[in-house]
Amino acid sequence: MIIRLVSDEKIAETSSKGNQEKWLDTVANYWYKLDQFGYEALAETLVSTLLEQSNIEIDTPFTFVRYRMEKLHVHGWDRTGCASKNFLKPGQSLITVNRLLTNYLGTPLKQKLAQLPSDKRRVAFLAEATAEYTRLREFPQYLTLLFEVDALFCNDDRHLNNIAVIEQGGRYDYCPIFDNGAGLLSNTQLSQMDIAPKALIAVLRARPFNTTFTRQMNAARSLTGKQLMLPKISGADIQEAVQPLLEYYPVRDRGIITDRVTTCILTRQKAM
């Protein structure tokens, strides 16, 4: 079935990579996101599928968003995208740590972080200031988990407006882990399909601190210890999970996409 979306009801979500179009179906209470730069929907769906094998909802108080692939009819064309259940309940709002701490500090958060002398100090400040303001005592563990997920799946778009908490009536809660669509080299405009995946992975920089994934992850782990637990993922596991998702993409691209996502995960898994 193709989901039909009305163009004038879209939301353009701004990120460091550009704008991605989203729609909220208020009847079904689902979000729909359109592939804008490559195969973001596949990345979102594959990451959430693999996280099903993790400890996130077993050993931690945190959760993650499940995605599924969809065919979407928008702007007069049939396009590829993904869908996810709206995790916000009535009366709840999503507040980014950038907005939260900028208001709390009375100065831009990015400016404050730039004044700190090391990645470890920057991670510690972001984690501890957010925990203090929101009274979410395990926010440092949550931040470490985010950076671990980003490191494993090569998500280089976890900027300060892509880390958030849920607010309702002055009280706060942890936001489910979501928005991993920039991972797995999905932006084929920036990570061209004719360049070897390992070469592309080598030059990626992790946000929000513009460093390597391993360095950012280890800075967080030095404060909280390891948070993400996953069984070892094999190439066969990845190919089994990605196979049904590839049907949404041209046959000519399926082998290249499989190679790219497999190389990302197997390469980064060694550093975990």
Side-chain angles (χ1 to χ4, degrees):
M1 182 180 72
I2 296 177
I3 306 296
R4 295 184 176 273
L5 300 173
V6 180
S7 297
D8 61 5
E9 291 180 356
K10 72 178 180 180
I11 297 171
E13 183 180 73
T14 301
S15 79
S16 63
K17 305 296 183 183
N19 291 332
Q20 184 174 30
E21 294 173 294
K22 299 173 63 176
W23 288 260
L24 176 62
D25 182 339
T26 55
V27 177
N29 204 29
Y30 264 81
W31 280 101
Y32 297 94
K33 293 199 294 185
L34 188 67
D35 272 355
Q36 205 80 14
F37 311 111
Y39 51 89
E40 303 98 305
L42 181 145
E44 290 278 25
T45 305
L46 182 59
V47 170
S48 69
T49 298
L50 295 175
L51 288 181
E52 292 282 2
Q53 306 301 316
S54 77
N55 66 322
I56 291 178
E57 296 182 349
I58 299 172
D59 299 329
T60 80
F62 315 124
T63 62
F64 63 93
V65 174
R66 275 81 171 171
Y67 293 87
R68 68 168 188 255
M69 301 291 298
E70 291 283 5
K71 274 296 181 185
L72 307 172
H73 186 82
V74 60
H75 307 317
W77 301 92
D78 290 345
R79 302 280 299 277
T80 297
C82 61
S84 61
K85 188 75 173 175
N86 180 19
F87 56 78
L88 290 177
K89 299 175 183 177
Q92 291 183 335
S93 299
L94 201 65
I95 310 293
T96 70
V97 295
N98 190 32
R99 175 182 165 192
L100 194 78
L101 295 185
T102 293
N103 291 339
Y104 176 50
L105 298 168
T107 189
L109 174 59
K110 187 175 181 179
Q111 179 179 315
K112 172 64 179 177
L113 292 171
Q115 295 169 351
L116 299 174
S118 68
D119 290 333
K120 185 175 178 180
R121 291 282 297 276
R122 285 185 278 272
V123 171
F125 179 85
L126 182 61
E128 293 164 5
T130 305
E132 178 181 349
Y133 186 84
T134 62
R135 299 186 180 179
L136 295 174
R137 293 187 302 171
E138 294 186 78
F139 191 85
Q141 288 83 351
Y142 173 81
L143 190 63
T144 299
L145 182 59
L146 273 185
F147 290 163
E148 289 172 325
V149 171
D150 292 342
L152 178 58
F153 298 111
C154 297
N155 180 8
D156 64 344
D157 199 34
R158 189 70 64 190
H159 50 82
L160 294 172
N161 284 316
N162 212 348
I163 304 170
V165 295
I166 296 172
E167 187 272 339
Q168 184 173 24
R171 302 187 68 174
Y172 297 91
D173 200 356
Y174 300 104
C175 181
I177 295 171
F178 74 111
D179 212 355
N180 298 295
L184 302 176
L185 302 176
S186 69
N187 188 330
T188 58
Q189 296 179 22
L190 296 178
S191 299
Q192 290 88 348
M193 300 274 265
D194 61 339
I195 300 176
K198 284 191 176 181
L200 294 168
I201 294 165
V203 299
L204 290 176
R205 303 291 285 178
R207 291 176 181 269
F209 301 121
N210 194 34
T211 184
T212 68
F213 285 113
T214 300
R215 185 171 178 175
Q216 180 168 281
M217 176 182 68
N218 286 342
R221 282 180 171 176
S222 70
L223 303 171
T224 67
K226 184 175 182 178
Q227 301 299 309
L228 179 65
M229 304 293 178
L230 261 174
K232 186 175 181 180
I233 303 170
S234 69
D237 294 331
I238 299 166
Q239 291 173 32
E240 181 181 357
V242 79
Q243 198 61 42
L245 314 183
L246 293 170
E247 296 178 8
Y248 289 80
Y249 296 90
V251 173
R252 69 173 188 273
D253 295 336
R254 293 176 187 178
I256 299 174
I257 293 173
T258 300
D259 181 46
R260 285 159 70 96
V261 302
T262 302
T263 303
C264 277
I265 296 168
L266 296 185
T267 300
R268 291 301 311 157
Q269 184 173 239
K270 296 174 184 177
M272 301 300 291

